[in-house]
Amino acid sequence: MDNLAFVFSGQGAQYPGMGKDIYDAFPAAGKVLDDLDKRRSGLKELIFSSSEETLMQTANTQCAMYALEAMITAVLEEEGIKPSCTAGFSLGELTALAAAGVYSMEDGFEITRIRAALMQEATEKTDAVMDAVLKLQDATVEKLAAQYRSIYPVNYNSPGQVVVAAARNEVEAFEESVKASGGRTMRLRVSGGFHSPFMSTAADRFLEQLDAFSFSAPSIPVWSNVSGRKYEGNIKAALALQIKSPVRWVDIVEDMIRCGVTSVIEIGPGSTLTGLIRRISRDVKTYNAGTAEGVNRILEEVRNV
């Protein structure tokens, strides 16, 4: 598959039992998860058997999501399906960088554990939520948010969809403002106000922790959440800044298309990112690799090309 991008899911798409069929069906996936389970005891049980509430805790979600994405990546690559570039949404950017050889999948898991713990700690010190705002222009959402002390537009997902991080004591008033302006809101299944000033301390401490890891130049282009463009310069600094900065997903997808991407495989549970991509452009062919059925469908199509 030429001009193929792997895109990696972020928090919010997780669900108990995700990836169990992939683990059972593909030995390459089983090896990856068995190895990561040795690094964090109980990881398999967390992914396959925990409650939704337990899995939703940031310290758990990020490790579980990274492990699933590493499993799927290993299966696709063993079958000869390799991307020409990668991108990831929030947490997914860590897997995207590993897939591009910036660090090993194992180091990526350790980096994820550190990020997850720091962000969990930050969520416990702030009372914040995340709200998707639908049916309004970006500028309108920004104008409404500016009327509040602690409402921040943070995820630019697709035309007519911006997510805000919000102080809990302000979010209901903000939602009423959105409704009065002709939009609607939807609370996200996450445990904190990510990609905002609520995460400033976590971002600063994460940058310090990254000193312990060696990063290489990407072997293929990787798009940055912070800039919406290909990674250039100091990857560690940008990866830390990402924790407290908006995700420029629309910019990423539009720039990938300008650079020739014609097909995208979403690696992770669900179809959130491919759904957003279709809202941004109908010219990109999308696939989902979150289940064994989805992976097999991709393998079958590739074999028939």
Side-chain angles (χ1 to χ4, degrees):
M1 301 173 77
D2 296 328
N3 303 316
L4 170 68
F6 282 3
V7 298
F8 296 87
S9 307
Q11 282 183 247
Q14 73 279 349
Y15 61 89
M18 61 183 184
K20 181 64 164 61
D21 56 343
I22 294 174
Y23 177 84
D24 291 339
F26 299 101
K31 182 179 186 308
V32 168
L33 186 54
D34 289 346
D35 288 346
L36 294 181
D37 188 70
K38 295 173 185 176
R39 292 173 175 266
R40 177 178 165 165
S41 179
L43 180 63
K44 281 192 287 188
E45 183 178 357
L46 169 67
I47 299 172
F48 298 151
S49 306
S50 67
S51 67
E52 184 173 353
E53 182 180 3
T54 297
L55 192 59
M56 184 176 165
Q57 296 173 13
T58 296
N60 295 331
T61 308
Q62 295 194 25
C63 293
M65 290 285 290
Y66 182 94
L68 174 61
E69 292 170 5
M71 289 164 54
I72 297 169
T73 301
V75 171
L76 293 176
E77 293 191 342
E78 183 177 69
E79 295 289 341
I81 302 175
K82 298 183 179 181
S84 57
C85 59
T86 66
F89 195 103
S90 187
L91 163 70
E93 189 165 273
L94 275 70
T95 331
L97 289 165
V102 173
Y103 40 71
S104 67
M105 278 292 181
E106 294 77 14
D107 276 356
F109 185 70
E110 296 304 322
I111 292 168
T112 299
R113 291 180 67 178
I114 293 168
R115 183 183 189 268
L118 292 172
M119 292 176 70
Q120 178 72 44
E121 184 178 338
T123 66
E124 293 169 356
K125 292 180 178 179
T126 58
D127 192 11
V129 299
M130 297 185 79
D131 228 359
V133 181
L134 309 174
K135 298 185 176 181
L136 295 181
Q137 297 293 318
D138 294 358
T140 302
V141 178
E142 291 165 352
K143 184 177 179 179
L144 292 175
Q147 298 173 16
Y148 297 86
R149 181 177 180 180
S150 299
I151 306 282
Y152 308 101
V154 293
N155 296 345
Y156 292 82
N157 289 349
S158 67
Q161 185 180 134
V162 177
V163 173
V164 301
R168 193 178 298 274
N169 63 359
E170 292 186 315
V171 70
E172 289 186 4
F174 173 74
E175 289 173 342
E176 287 300 318
S177 297
V178 169
K179 184 178 179 180
S181 299
R184 65 183 182 91
T185 59
M186 181 176 63
R187 297 280 180 94
L188 301 189
R189 294 187 306 151
V190 296
S191 58
F194 305 127
H195 300 289
S196 75
F198 294 121
M199 294 288 119
S200 292
T201 300
D204 295 343
R205 292 176 61 192
F206 185 55
L207 181 58
E208 294 172 359
Q209 295 289 328
L210 288 177
D211 282 342
F213 297 90
S214 297
F215 280 32
S216 301
S219 60
I220 55 177
V222 183
W223 267 258
S224 165
N225 283 196
V226 174
S227 68
R229 299 291 183 266
K230 296 176 187 177
Y231 259 105
E232 295 179 351
N234 190 329
I235 295 177
K236 291 182 179 180
L239 195 58
L241 184 61
Q242 185 237 56
I243 291 176
K244 60 180 180 181
S245 300
V247 175
R248 306 284 179 182
W249 189 248
V250 174
D251 291 344
I252 288 172
V253 173
E254 290 178 344
D255 198 51
M256 292 176 83
I257 293 170
R258 282 193 293 269
C259 291
V261 168
T262 56
S263 300
V264 170
I265 297 176
E266 178 173 358
I267 296 179
S271 57
T272 299
L273 297 185
T274 50
L276 296 177
I277 290 169
R278 286 193 295 270
R279 287 173 59 89
I280 296 167
S281 173
R282 289 287 182 176
D283 295 329
V284 178
K285 190 165 188 178
T286 59
Y287 304 85
N288 297 97
T291 63
E293 181 183 359
V295 172
N296 281 322
R297 190 178 299 118
I298 292 167
L299 298 180
E300 185 67 25
E301 179 157 337
V302 170
R303 291 182 182 124
N304 289 333
V305 171

